[in-house]
Amino acid sequence: MSKVTILLHFCCLIVALTVSAPLMAQTLQHVLELTYQNNPDLKVRRIQMRVADEQVPQARSAMLPNISLTTNTALQSLENFVPENAPGRDSQPSIFGVVLNQRIYDFGRTSNRVDAAISNALAARTNIMATEQQVLLNAATQYANLVRDRALVKLRSDNITFVNSLLEDTRKWVREGFATETDVAQVEAQIAAIEGNLIALLTNVELTRENFEQIVGVPPGELSDPLPYFSTKPMSVDNATNIALV
């Protein structure tokens, strides 16, 4: 088996490993939905937002009534004072109590804490919106990068197959006197250059696949061409905004 054949087999293996062969190709919209659901940074931001939201009612609770219930039960024996078998000789008296505390005024401490909690909650929402925009942009970028890198690998694989066939033809022409060994050396040099480029492209595919999985939260499957999403140029800022929202 020649070096070229081994490289082509390796290329096919890498491409197969990076495509999970789903029933349908993943579209850009589908990938963005997966990113919104699975991205670890967004999950952390959502937890932080819930914690910040919970601090608002906790701060307000300082001015709410506080009710506590107390109970006490004891065993009481009057054997030294009451004849035997007399009613009430042994008893279990119970005491129940309800305490209601209501803070009337705390010099604005609760109000300040509530305002600070609301500000923290609004800041958390602003942070998650900014994180969403950046994460979704990164996901779209890695989507396009992976489509590009896979296409380049396929292109170089087809190219190396063609040049390998050209090498065989050139060697045949040398035997027939229509070419020289210099021509063969030039084709071999061209093959070596393509092989080096193909190895670099395979490395890029693997790196892009890892970046994709890190951002989206799931391994990439077969990806559809993103060009239809950008085939129409927006005519205005409002038109671009509407396209982005869709």
Side-chain angles (χ1 to χ4, degrees):
M1 182 179 293
S2 66
K3 180 181 178 182
V4 173
T5 304
I6 294 175
L7 184 60
L8 288 176
H9 287 175
F10 177 71
C11 172
C12 294
L13 177 61
I14 291 294
V15 173
L17 290 176
T18 57
V19 178
S20 59
L23 295 178
M24 295 182 62
Q26 294 175 327
T27 63
L28 177 58
Q29 180 178 351
H30 183 211
V31 169
L32 294 179
E33 291 172 356
L34 292 175
T35 304
Y36 189 82
Q37 297 169 2
N38 302 311
N39 181 265
D41 291 337
L42 289 181
K43 290 182 179 180
V44 171
R45 290 295 186 184
R46 292 186 186 110
I47 293 174
Q48 293 174 345
M49 185 180 67
R50 287 195 293 267
V51 171
D53 289 341
E54 185 62 26
Q55 290 175 351
V56 176
Q58 290 178 0
R60 287 173 175 164
S61 66
M63 294 298 292
L64 297 178
N66 183 14
I67 301 177
S68 60
L69 176 65
T70 61
T71 178
N72 186 18
T73 302
L75 177 62
Q76 176 179 283
S77 179
L78 303 176
E79 60 182 3
N80 295 329
F81 306 98
V82 180
E84 188 176 355
N85 298 326
R89 187 172 185 268
D90 295 323
S91 62
Q92 290 182 314
S94 299
I95 300 175
F96 297 92
V98 178
V99 179
L100 172 63
N101 293 322
Q102 173 65 63
R103 181 175 295 178
I104 303 301
Y105 188 68
D106 64 353
F107 302 95
R109 288 194 296 268
T110 299
S111 177
N112 292 335
R113 290 170 182 168
V114 171
D115 291 341
I118 292 176
S119 297
N120 290 336
L122 293 176
R125 294 182 182 277
T126 301
N127 290 336
I128 195 173
M129 290 177 62
T131 302
E132 286 174 353
Q133 294 178 16
Q134 186 60 51
V135 166
L136 293 177
L137 174 61
N138 293 340
T141 301
Q142 294 304 322
Y143 178 96
N145 289 346
L146 190 54
V147 171
R148 175 202 61 197
D149 292 345
R150 286 177 173 176
L152 288 175
V153 166
K154 185 179 184 305
L155 178 63
R156 292 297 182 270
S157 299
D158 294 341
N159 193 14
I160 201 172
T161 300
F162 168 76
V163 178
N164 186 47
S165 175
L166 178 61
L167 177 61
E168 296 299 326
D169 291 340
T170 304
R171 288 171 176 169
K172 177 181 178 181
W173 296 335
V174 169
R175 292 192 298 268
E176 296 177 354
F178 296 106
T180 65
E181 292 296 334
T182 301
D183 297 323
V184 174
Q186 289 177 346
V187 177
E188 291 176 341
Q190 186 177 0
I191 291 177
I194 297 174
E195 288 177 351
N197 181 257
L198 182 56
I199 292 174
L201 290 175
L202 291 173
T203 303
N204 289 340
V205 167
E206 184 61 22
L207 180 60
T208 307
R209 189 198 66 80
E210 292 177 358
N211 292 337
F212 180 100
E213 184 173 355
Q214 181 180 5
I215 295 174
V216 179
V218 296
E222 182 182 353
L223 305 179
S224 62
D225 191 346
L227 288 180
Y229 288 91
F230 312 108
S231 58
T232 302
K233 180 180 178 181
M235 302 303 296
S236 64
V237 174
D238 291 338
N239 183 222
T241 302
N242 291 335
I243 294 175
L245 291 174
V246 173

